[in-house]
Amino acid sequence: MSYTDEEIAALAEGLVSRTLPKERWTHAAHLAATLRLVRIRDAGLERDLPGIIQTYNVAVGGVNDDTSGYHETITQAYLAAIRAFVAALPAGTSDSDAIARLLETPMGDKAWPLTHWSRERLFSVEARRGWVAPDLKPLEHPPMVAAAGDE
């Protein structure tokens, strides 16, 4: 999947304004919108992003309950990893280049969290509702940061 800078901006705006069609809210779109939000309004995003996602889910007919919708541990893990990724990008990297690089890292695979959490722990109600630390290996960002700087 490749996105233009304009498409990435539209994904982030559509998420925040709750106008993004549900069928466009893919794993790649989650990452692209989060990358854009980190770049334009990072302060307090760990506090604000849960509400943004929860209200978006409801606006498109979804729910946020113990089995579906918003997932705190997954959201905060990706947010931390994307922040580290963005911090390591060369100055002047466009959003489109940044997301292309990000999607080539392990985060581009939806199963990335399962390299850090067991399935049982990650998909527990506790992990969905609040932060739960990884039980397989700690979150460390050097492999993703290294990928961000590769030319």
Side-chain angles (χ1 to χ4, degrees), residues 35 39 84-94 97-99 101-102 145 147-149:
L35 181 138
R39 292 183 113 184
F85 181 88
V86 166
L89 288 170
T93 302
S94 67
D97 286 343
I99 195 60
R101 291 179 185 199
L102 179 65
V145 172

Side-chain angles (χ1 to χ4, degrees), residues 18-126:
R18 299 174 301 284
T19 59
L20 181 70
K22 185 177 182 177
E23 63 274 5
R24 292 195 52 213
W25 193 228
T26 63
H27 177 66
H30 276 76
L31 299 181
T34 302
L35 181 138
R36 179 71 183 152
L37 291 173
V38 163
R39 292 183 113 184
I40 64 171
R41 59 174 281 185
D42 188 38
L45 204 50
E46 63 281 336
R47 177 196 65 233
D48 298 339
L49 192 56
I52 291 169
I53 295 171
Q54 290 167 347
T55 57
Y56 171 78
N57 288 343
V58 171
V60 297
V63 297
N64 301 295
D65 62 19
D66 289 346
T67 60
S68 65
Y70 181 74
H71 193 295
E72 176 73 6
T73 299
I74 291 174
T75 298
Q76 296 300 335
Y78 273 106
L79 179 56
I82 291 171
R83 276 184 171 145
F85 181 88
V86 166
L89 288 170
T93 302
S94 67
D95 285 346
S96 57
D97 286 343
I99 195 60
R101 291 179 185 199
L102 179 65
L103 290 171
E104 291 175 0
T105 72
M107 282 186 287
D109 182 343
K110 284 174 54 169
W112 171 75
L114 292 170
T115 63
H116 298 277
W117 285 267
S118 64
R119 181 170 296 282
E120 299 75 30
R121 186 169 175 94
L122 185 63
F123 294 109
S124 68
V125 173
E126 179 186 12

